[in-house]
Amino acid sequence: WEPTRPVYRQEILTGVLRNTNYKVMLGNCPNPVVLRLCPANLVTFKKEIALLRHIYPKILVPVPLFTNFTAQHPYALESYIHGATLDNLWEQLSSAELLDLLTQLGEIASRIHSIRFTEAGYLDENLEVTQPLYNFGEYYFELIFPLFENLSRSNQPELDFVQPLLKVLQVHKTAFTDLPITNRLVHGDFNPKNIMIYRENHRWTVSGIIDWEFGFSASTLLDIGNFLRFEDEMPPGARDAFVDRKSVV
């Protein structure tokens, strides 16, 4: 990709847990690019690249510019999303600024969830569902319940809430299993560390949503619940600002 442009600066991007990413500045190129090295699972990496191509420009995401999946260390070059992650700036923002961002994020989440697939399930590198989820709620319940059971066996005082939570889950299991089957795009890790923001004309704006490796077709409640688990750190009115512009579940 652009073989005549020399690399004159590169730096590793911190804060990414699963992938090794570099910000690369090229000669005669005003904007940097991101070099992403493939983690262990090449199929997941290919799926994420295909998903980015599928949803851009409807969703502001890194744009794949070049890929090499057959290299010794497979990689992709993507456009650089300017700004910083919301979690790094969270405490510096006023309540009004946060509420404004939450309204923007509700609109973005609505656009994400408006994208549909033929059925619910996990996607392959061609964005075809290879592992259908015929009852996402039941699948999710069976996924999280054993995790809490393991935690309940701990003697740590800070985990005293787990046993009562298990009882609540058991009583309300049908709230999971009765969820309607939905085939909408879900980010899978929709939270402040994957939301890029920047300040322009005295206003904080969402510049992009990153890290789509967990994207799949399922219930939008997953993204909504994931995001609102930080509600105790948000200003009053946060839930209304975010959910008011949500798509239907």
Side-chain angles (χ1 to χ4, degrees), residues 169-234:
L169 287 173
Q170 287 174 316
V171 170
H172 296 285
K173 182 177 180 179
T174 56
F176 290 82
T177 57
D178 289 348
L179 286 174
I181 298 174
T182 52
N183 56 345
R184 296 172 183 265
L185 174 61
V186 172
H187 180 277
D189 198 15
F190 195 79
N191 67 71
K193 76 176 187 294
N194 291 326
I195 296 166
M196 300 291 295
I197 65 172
Y198 73 107
R199 190 171 178 83
E200 183 178 49
N201 298 325
H202 308 292
R203 184 194 183 196
W204 286 99
T205 304
V206 177
S207 53
I209 309 298
I210 60 175
D211 289 351
W212 287 81
E213 61 187 308
F214 298 116
F216 68 120
S217 173
S219 170
T220 62
L221 286 172
L222 188 65
D223 281 348
I224 299 170
N226 195 334
F227 189 78
L228 289 180
R229 65 194 171 101
F230 299 95
E231 190 176 4
D232 61 338
E233 303 173 26
M234 299 177 185

Side-chain angles (χ1 to χ4, degrees), residues 5 40 47 79-80 103 112 116 122 127 158-159 180 188 197 238:
R5 296 183 187 271
K47 184 262 303 197
S79 63
Y80 179 77
T103 299
I112 293 171
R116 297 174 181 265
Y122 290 99
L127 303 186
E158 64 269 22
L159 295 178
I197 65 172

Side-chain angles (χ1 to χ4, degrees), residues 72-92:
Q72 181 179 359
H73 300 288
Y75 64 89
L77 286 177
E78 297 175 356
S79 63
Y80 179 77
I81 301 291
H82 290 275
T85 56
L86 177 57
D87 66 324
N88 281 327
L89 296 175
W90 190 272
E91 295 182 354
Q92 302 175 32

